[in-house]
Amino acid sequence: MHLRMFELAKDALLSEGYDFLGGYMSPVNDSYGKQNLVLAEHRIEMCKVASSTSSFIMVDPWEARQPTYQRTLHVLDRVQDALNNTFTSEKVKVMLLCGADLLESFITPGVWIPEQVQAIFEIYGVICICRGGQDTRNVIFENDLLYNNKKNIKVVDEQIANDISSTKVRRNLERGLSVKYLIPDEVIKYIKEHYLYTHIKECTNTKFG
């Protein structure tokens, strides 16, 4: 579904007349603290395998390979600086691609630094992909922070219902159930070869697990 989000974002931006260059997946740092988070190098490789057939989705390992957790604003700053140092003839605009759950987390107390959320909206903007049943536009209307930045939030609806989630895929793997046709075959092969998501201690981030 994460890969599908990039396709939806690309279609939406092209339909509005944007020149679209590409998309980056940036795996989170091991220090993020999520329980049973698989080590960064495995997540980087799985993202590379999953996106290998895409003509525009790339993997940026910088965030995952830093010695400490990196906040989203810092990652966006780094990507934009790198791109604008490469494409010197015209300024490149980077946007944050996310799902409705992440957008709603912006207004959850204690999750984000408010000043950084405001900077993300003002400097970059957000493309939010909504699944069926998610009333994201109403969430934006009801919250002052989101409403005041609505011009910097592009809401894109997924027209084809898709309830696949990484949490559900991991649960199937942990229980020894099939995930074929839910994720690419090459990713399934990588997971099996490295014994991931099987509660084998050596393959997970045991610092937080």
Side-chain angles (χ1 to χ4, degrees):
M1 186 58 190
H2 289 98
L3 296 171
R4 178 66 184 156
M5 288 169 65
F6 281 96
E7 296 287 345
L8 293 168
K10 177 184 177 182
D11 286 347
L13 290 172
L14 289 175
S15 71
E16 293 186 17
Y18 284 84
D19 292 324
F20 183 88
L21 294 177
Y24 286 98
M25 289 194 289
S26 181
V28 74
N29 190 275
D30 283 340
S31 299
Y32 179 58
K34 184 175 181 178
Q35 187 177 19
N36 295 326
L37 185 66
V38 168
L39 290 173
E41 288 305 315
H42 286 309
R43 290 183 283 110
I44 290 168
E45 289 306 311
M46 285 189 286
C47 285
K48 287 181 178 179
V49 170
S51 61
S52 62
T53 59
S54 173
S55 62
F56 71 91
I57 302 174
M58 297 161 279
V59 181
D60 183 359
W62 181 86
E63 177 184 358
R65 289 176 175 167
Q66 296 309 295
T68 59
Y69 170 67
Q70 301 295 306
R71 289 196 171 271
T72 300
L73 178 61
H74 298 155
V75 177
L76 291 168
D77 288 342
R78 184 259 173 188
V79 172
Q80 180 141 297
D81 288 345
L83 289 174
N84 282 314
N85 287 333
T86 301
F87 299 95
T88 56
S89 61
E90 190 172 350
K91 186 175 181 180
V92 175
K93 178 179 176 62
V94 171
M95 300 184 75
L96 174 64
L97 174 62
C98 70
D101 291 346
L102 190 140
L103 183 70
E104 291 185 35
S105 76
F106 283 161
I107 57 177
T108 303
V111 177
W112 294 78
I113 298 172
E115 295 78 11
Q116 292 196 3
V117 172
Q118 187 62 43
I120 289 172
F121 284 134
E122 290 182 356
I123 300 171
Y124 299 104
V126 172
I127 306 177
C128 179
I129 309 299
C130 300
R131 302 184 187 189
Q134 294 176 314
D135 193 357
T136 302
R137 291 175 179 82
N138 187 60
V139 171
I140 293 172
F141 180 79
E142 293 292 339
N143 180 266
D144 289 342
L145 173 64
L146 299 181
Y147 185 79
N148 290 338
N149 288 283
K150 63 179 181 178
K151 67 179 185 300
N152 296 319
I153 305 173
K154 295 185 182 298
V155 177
V156 180
D157 295 312
E158 168 60 279
Q159 299 298 329
I160 301 175
N162 188 338
D163 194 35
I164 296 172
S165 74
S166 55
T167 299
K168 292 177 180 179
V169 170
R170 286 194 299 270
R171 186 179 298 124
N172 267 29
L173 288 166
E174 290 167 0
R175 294 177 179 173
L177 301 175
S178 171
V179 293
K180 191 171 179 63
Y181 306 120
L182 295 178
I183 57 177
D185 285 347
E186 290 302 310
V187 176
I188 296 174
K189 180 181 177 182
Y190 184 94
I191 289 169
K192 290 180 177 179
E193 288 176 349
H194 295 86
Y195 303 99
L196 304 181
Y197 307 109
T198 58
H199 300 298
I200 295 179
K201 201 171 186 179
E202 294 80 7
C203 294
T204 58
N205 184 358
T206 55
K207 181 177 178 182
F208 296 98

